[in-house]
Amino acid sequence: MFKPSTQGGCMRQTAWDKSKSAPLYFSYNNDRKPPWTTVAVTNRGLASFALTSYNENEEIFREKHICYVPFHWPFKKKHEVDTVEATVNKLSEINKKVFFDSANAYDVAAPGCRSRKKHDAPTLACGIFYTNSFDMVGEKQASCGIFPAIARLNHSCRPNTRQEYFSESGELVLYASRRISEGDQLFDSYTDLDSTVKVRKKELERWFRFVCDCDRCEEEEEDIDKIEDKFGRCKLAA
């Protein structure tokens, strides 16, 4: 995930101007680099753009985690926080850099103190897990892991990718959910797409700390405004 303003989070489809955008390079725990380039977009943070075209349901990329914990966030118990800290501390230097280069959307509680707010992260490492981890569906224990390349994709409520975790190989696989052309921005979804716009925006702001202004949200809010305006006029006329 990219943080709002500085590292993204939620963005509309943005054109990639190769002549004005220099790609940013990140280290990844993989044998190959992901097939997208990440660039800074004026007033919108960072965004990732496809380097080739994909058909619907075509595989884009597969990635193994750099670390995981055998439980889900938020981490409310001391042993969970301690496990996260120990897990991150065991990472190689390159993977530790990859981990701490990831976005953190959470305020971190002061050392030795309890969280100042209900959803604050107890440590920086926990905040990075909250912001970037994926559920590892199919594992014997409920687990979540850090897949840093795929985690860098921005959110949209009308995404053009989907991801699926395969416990047999320990890989998170990214697929095109519709036709993607070279130069299109790649979007994942951080929330339940079957929810209403009100619920989606509330959940995204609660858990990822940004207000979604994607095309779908704007269109659905405009439809709601039109309906409310219509019924408001009907009541006044009655």
Side-chain angles (χ1 to χ4, degrees):
M1 174 191 172
F2 292 131
K3 288 185 288 188
S5 300
T6 57
Q7 286 187 294
C10 172
M11 296 183 68
R12 301 177 187 178
Q13 185 60 257
T14 306
W16 173 29
D17 187 341
K18 295 182 182 180
S19 65
K20 297 181 180 179
S21 302
L24 305 173
Y25 297 97
F26 302 96
S27 298
Y28 297 108
N29 178 43
N30 213 304
D31 294 334
R32 58 193 177 94
K33 291 182 180 179
W36 56 78
T37 187
T38 300
V39 300
V41 178
T42 304
N43 299 324
R44 300 298 294 182
L46 303 185
S48 297
F49 297 89
L51 294 175
T52 188
S53 299
Y54 298 95
N55 293 318
E56 185 176 356
N57 296 323
E58 185 176 352
E59 181 181 315
I60 298 175
F61 189 63
R62 56 178 59 218
E63 180 178 26
K64 291 192 175 182
H65 62 73
I66 60 171
C67 61
Y68 81 98
V69 290
F71 36 78
H72 283 307
W73 64 276
F75 311 130
K76 298 180 179 179
K77 300 176 181 178
K78 183 178 183 303
H79 81 86
E80 293 176 339
V81 176
D82 291 344
T83 299
V84 170
E85 292 297 305
T87 299
V88 173
N89 285 334
K90 290 178 182 177
L91 290 172
S92 65
E93 288 305 309
I94 182 63
N95 281 342
K96 194 174 291 186
K97 183 180 186 305
V98 170
F99 181 88
F100 284 108
D101 277 348
S102 300
N104 170 37
Y106 284 74
D107 293 326
V108 178
C113 297
R114 301 186 67 179
S115 296
R116 298 184 299 275
K117 300 176 184 177
K118 183 178 180 181
H119 298 300
D120 275 355
T123 67
L124 175 58
C126 288
I128 290 173
F129 256 93
Y130 291 3
T131 308
N132 299 276
S133 65
F134 292 88
D135 290 342
M136 297 164 64
V137 179
E139 294 291 346
K140 294 180 179 179
Q141 287 181 285
S143 305
C144 61
I146 298 293
F147 300 81
I150 296 176
R152 288 193 178 277
L153 300 186
N154 283 318
H155 165 82
S156 172
C157 294
R158 188 177 282 150
N160 53 10
T161 73
R162 61 179 176 83
Q163 25 79 18
E164 184 176 355
Y165 178 71
F166 292 88
S167 57
E168 299 85 358
S169 63
E171 293 176 309
L172 188 69
V173 182
L174 188 73
Y175 298 95
S177 58
R178 62 174 185 266
R179 170 71 181 175
I180 295 173
S181 298
E182 179 183 352
D184 283 353
Q185 185 179 169
L186 298 175
F187 290 103
D188 192 9
S189 173
Y190 305 169
T191 191
D192 181 1
L193 296 175
D194 292 328
S195 299
T196 64
V197 60
K198 182 177 181 179
V199 171
R200 294 197 311 270
K201 291 173 77 78
K202 181 179 179 180
E203 289 298 295
L204 289 167
E205 187 170 10
R206 177 185 182 190
W207 296 114
F208 296 100
R209 307 301 174 85
F210 65 84
V211 177
C212 187
D213 64 349
C214 71
D215 293 341
R216 181 184 172 190
C217 282
E218 288 210 341
E219 290 170 10
E220 292 181 8
E221 287 180 323
E222 287 176 3
D223 289 341
I224 292 172
D225 288 342
K226 289 177 182 177
I227 292 171
E228 290 179 345
D229 183 53
K230 179 180 179 180
F231 276 93
R233 290 199 303 270
C234 289
K235 288 181 179 179
L236 288 173

